[in-house]
Amino acid sequence: RLIFRIKRCLHCHVGARAGQHPKVSLTASVHHFQWQWLQTVTEKCGITSVEKCVRIICDFYQSRVKEAANIKGSRQEQEAAGYLREKEIFGKRRSEDERFTSALSIWHTCCKQKDEEKQLQQKEIPDLKDLASDPAACSDQDSAAAMARCQVGRSSASYAAAMGETAEETNARRAKELVMQESEEAKKNRAFIRKVLFM
């Protein structure tokens, strides 16, 4: 917001006369996440191009360095002041920045809390072996009857077993069902369902 949302007149070369500050083509390498960030900023702030976005960043920090160097004294003192400002802006490591270490600590705390919540949820999910031995659970006959009533998984071995079919009976049933599935009426019905679901 400080760099891209606030107008800083006389701090950039936008108002310069044509040819006063000739553009020089340079090649720069950035990480993928940096390129994504530049594209996002360019889009959200209405900047004409990523290159223009980079020039705005350079102008912003360049003006800060020049401002620090604009002191009374010899040229050597001015250059030293500009160098110190540049080092102050870019020379600090993240690990030495209190704001970064604070944000990192908060992030680690959040991750730890999420892991603990996930472990707690996993503990709350009962083991299937415990469910199988539960006296209130369905019997094998009840499960087979439920599968027989269910229309899902008709091509599965469990459905055939629930129906008590032999391999020949299953193959014969599936052959009839495949004919129905590939019929024009079934295709029209499936197309209609897809159209309704994805409108």
Side-chain angles (χ1 to χ4, degrees):
R1 289 180 181 177
L2 178 63
I3 299 176
F4 299 103
R5 298 288 190 182
I6 298 174
K7 294 181 180 179
R8 298 180 310 279
C9 295
L10 305 178
H11 284 282
C12 66
H13 300 146
V14 175
R17 294 189 299 275
Q20 184 178 351
H21 300 287
K23 294 178 182 178
V24 179
S25 297
L26 298 173
T27 303
S29 299
V30 295
H31 293 288
H32 182 64
F33 74 91
Q34 292 171 325
W35 179 255
Q36 287 181 319
W37 181 85
L38 285 168
Q39 286 181 316
T40 302
V41 170
T42 301
E43 182 181 345
K44 288 187 176 181
C45 297
I47 303 170
T48 54
S49 65
V50 173
E51 290 78 7
K52 175 67 176 175
C53 182
V54 173
R55 287 201 300 273
I56 292 172
I57 295 172
C58 291
D59 275 325
F60 174 81
Y61 287 112
Q62 192 176 35
S63 66
R64 295 301 182 271
V65 174
K66 287 182 177 179
E67 183 183 13
N70 190 20
I71 59 171
K72 291 182 179 180
S74 64
R75 183 174 179 180
Q76 189 176 2
E77 290 173 338
Q78 291 176 340
E79 289 178 356
Y83 174 75
L84 286 174
R85 177 57 60 86
E86 186 175 351
K87 187 177 180 181
E88 180 185 336
I89 296 171
F90 301 106
K92 185 180 287 187
R93 295 183 178 180
R94 282 187 173 183
S95 57
E96 299 170 358
D97 192 334
E98 293 181 0
R99 297 170 302 172
F100 174 75
T101 53
S102 175
L104 191 63
S105 175
I106 294 171
W107 182 72
H108 281 310
T109 303
C110 291
C111 289
K112 187 177 179 182
Q113 289 176 349
K114 287 181 181 179
D115 289 339
E116 290 174 352
E117 289 174 2
K118 190 175 181 180
Q119 290 175 0
L120 187 62
Q121 289 174 354
Q122 289 176 346
K123 287 181 180 178
E124 291 175 353
I125 299 173
D127 192 352
L128 292 178
K129 293 180 180 178
D130 296 335
L131 286 177
S133 60
D134 187 353
C138 295
S139 64
D140 292 342
Q141 292 79 12
D142 292 334
S143 299
M147 288 180 193
R149 291 193 301 270
C150 182
Q151 296 300 307
V152 179
R154 292 172 65 88
S155 61
S156 65
S158 58
Y159 181 82
M163 295 294 292
E165 294 177 336
T166 62
E168 292 77 14
E169 290 173 334
T170 301
N171 291 334
R173 175 177 59 80
R174 287 298 298 147
K176 291 180 181 178
E177 291 174 347
L178 287 173
V179 171
M180 292 176 60
Q181 289 175 8
E182 296 303 320
S183 66
E184 291 300 320
E185 183 180 357
K187 290 179 180 179
K188 288 179 181 178
N189 290 336
R190 287 197 294 271
F192 177 73
I193 291 170
R194 279 195 296 269
K195 184 178 179 181
V196 171
L197 290 176
F198 299 105
M199 282 181 66

